[in-house]
Amino acid sequence: MAQQINIRFYEELNDFLPQQQRKREFSQTLKKERSIKDLIESIGVPHTEISLIIVNGESVDFSYLVKNGDQISVYPVFESLDISSLKHCQSKPIRNARFVLDVHLGRLAAYLRMLGFDTFYRNDYDDPELAEISANEHRILLTCDRRLLMRKQITHGYFVRQRQPKSQLLEILKRFDLYNKQQPFTRCMHCNGITRPVNKQKIETQLLPKTKKYYDEFFQCETCHNIYWKGSHYLRMKKMIAEINV
Ligand SMILES: [Zn+2]
C-alpha cells in the first residue's frame, strides 16, 4: 500500500532541493517500506549533511522505517546548539580535522595544506578510493559531488558549496571551526609532507643563482624534499592568510 509522508528540510539542507521544495513542507509518496536515510537521499540530500531528524516530535536515527502519515523535519549539523540529549545522526566529529579531497578541489587542497591542515589529494583518486580513504583513515571527505557523499561507508563528509577556491577555503574554515587551528607554512603544498627549517649549505647546490644570492632562510619537505623560501610566492600567500583572518 502506498504511504504518504510530509517532510521539511531546514537551513542549508535546502541547497540540495529544487526551488519548489525549499523551506517548506512537501509530501512524498512511498511505494515500499524504506529507511529514513534512504528516503532523504532519494530526495537528493546526502546523509553526511544531516545531524538531526525529528519524526512526529521524536528524534530518530537513520535506520528508522518511514510510516504512513509521518511528519518529518530534517536538520543540518548544528554549530552551537547542544543536541547531545537527542538521538542524532552523525558519529562524533573528528577531533583533529583531517581531510581527503576529490579530484576537482586541487586548489583548495593546496590552500588547506598552506594553513597546515593534513590534506590528502591526488588528481587520479576515483570515487571508491576516496570513500575508502575517508572511512579507513577517518578523514573528512570534501567534494562537490553529492552522489559520492551518499556512499554508505562515509561517516564524515561535506558538500562544498562555493566554487572559487578562496571562498571554498573560507567555507571550510567556518564549517569546521578551524580558525584557531591554523599552522601556516608547516606543510608541503605539493605532497602534504611536513616542512622543517634546513641549513642553506645543505641545499645550496639545488638553488637557482638568484635565490641563492638573496635568501638565507629555507625550509624543506621531509617527504618530497621540495625547498621553500620566503620569496614573492610566500609573500602572496601571507597576504592571503591575513585577508582570510580579518
Ligand atoms: Zn612535499
Side-chain angles (χ1 to χ4, degrees):
M1 193 186 82
Q3 304 181 38
Q4 188 155 338
I5 56 96
N6 289 319
I7 189 162
R8 179 177 171 152
F9 291 86
Y10 286 83
E11 306 294 337
E12 63 264 29
L13 297 181
N14 286 286
D15 297 348
F16 298 100
L17 303 179
Q19 200 60 48
Q20 69 273 18
Q21 292 180 337
R22 289 184 184 175
K23 296 182 177 172
R24 58 181 287 271
E25 189 177 282
F26 56 93
S27 53
Q28 291 276 292
T29 305
L30 280 66
K31 294 198 182 69
K32 59 176 172 62
E33 189 175 67
R34 64 201 309 192
S35 71
I36 197 141
K37 175 171 181 261
D38 199 22
L39 168 71
I40 287 170
E41 292 203 323
S42 75
I43 296 169
V45 183
H47 69 272
T48 51
E49 298 283 316
I50 294 158
S51 179
L52 179 68
I53 307 168
I54 304 282
V55 179
N56 309 323
E58 300 273 345
S59 54
V60 301
D61 62 26
F62 283 137
S63 63
Y64 173 82
L65 293 173
V66 178
K67 291 175 189 61
N68 193 34
D70 277 350
Q71 290 283 343
I72 304 169
S73 303
V74 190
Y75 297 88
V77 175
F78 293 102
E79 292 308 329
S80 47
L81 199 61
D82 182 14
I83 57 160
S84 49
S85 59
L86 300 171
K87 193 181 278 183
H88 54 111
C89 303
Q90 296 302 330
S91 12
K92 278 197 199 126
I94 295 174
R95 268 244 313 261
N96 293 316
R98 305 189 308 153
F99 300 98
V100 55
L101 273 60
D102 85 14
V103 295
H104 304 292
L105 296 173
R107 286 282 294 285
L108 175 61
Y111 286 162
L112 284 167
R113 289 171 179 169
M114 172 184 79
L115 296 181
F117 297 107
D118 185 348
T119 305
F120 275 14
Y121 168 81
R122 271 184 27 195
N123 60 10
D124 60 352
Y125 280 148
D126 62 19
D127 287 1
E129 270 177 304
L130 287 164
E132 198 111 306
I133 292 168
S134 172
N136 293 346
E137 298 210 10
H138 303 290
R139 286 178 180 272
I140 299 163
L141 175 61
L142 301 182
T143 177
C144 299
D145 174 1
R146 73 169 94 171
R147 292 278 146 203
L148 178 54
L149 291 176
M150 291 180 188
R151 282 178 176 260
K152 228 199 215 137
Q153 79 258 54
I154 297 175
T155 56
H156 295 87
Y158 175 71
F159 179 80
V160 180
R161 270 81 163 169
Q162 297 291 334
R163 287 294 169 263
Q164 293 294 325
K166 196 176 153 188
S167 309
Q168 291 173 336
L169 180 63
L170 289 166
E171 183 185 353
I172 299 307
L173 290 175
K174 191 162 174 252
R175 168 64 182 75
F176 294 96
D177 197 16
L178 298 176
Y179 278 98
N180 296 326
K181 295 181 179 148
Q182 301 171 61
Q183 292 180 294
F185 308 117
T186 54
R187 216 170 258 282
C188 176
M189 288 177 74
H190 299 286
C191 82
N192 197 42
I194 302 290
T195 54
R196 298 201 190 281
V198 61
N199 215 311
K200 189 175 179 180
Q201 284 79 37
K202 250 182 113 177
I203 45 133
E204 218 161 23
T205 55
Q206 299 168 59
L207 300 175
L208 293 168
K210 272 195 175 164
T211 314
K212 193 166 146 181
K213 188 172 169 193
Y214 293 114
Y215 298 95
D216 290 313
E217 199 185 355
F218 294 91
F219 300 84
Q220 191 169 29
C221 171
E222 282 184 340
T223 311
C224 75
H225 308 295
N226 198 48
I227 297 162
Y228 294 88
W229 60 93
K230 294 182 175 178
S232 56
H233 187 50
Y234 168 83
L235 293 174
R236 271 200 303 278
M237 290 192 292
K238 226 183 137 182
K239 189 166 164 256
M240 183 182 155
I241 293 170
E243 283 166 11
I244 286 167
N245 286 288
V246 285

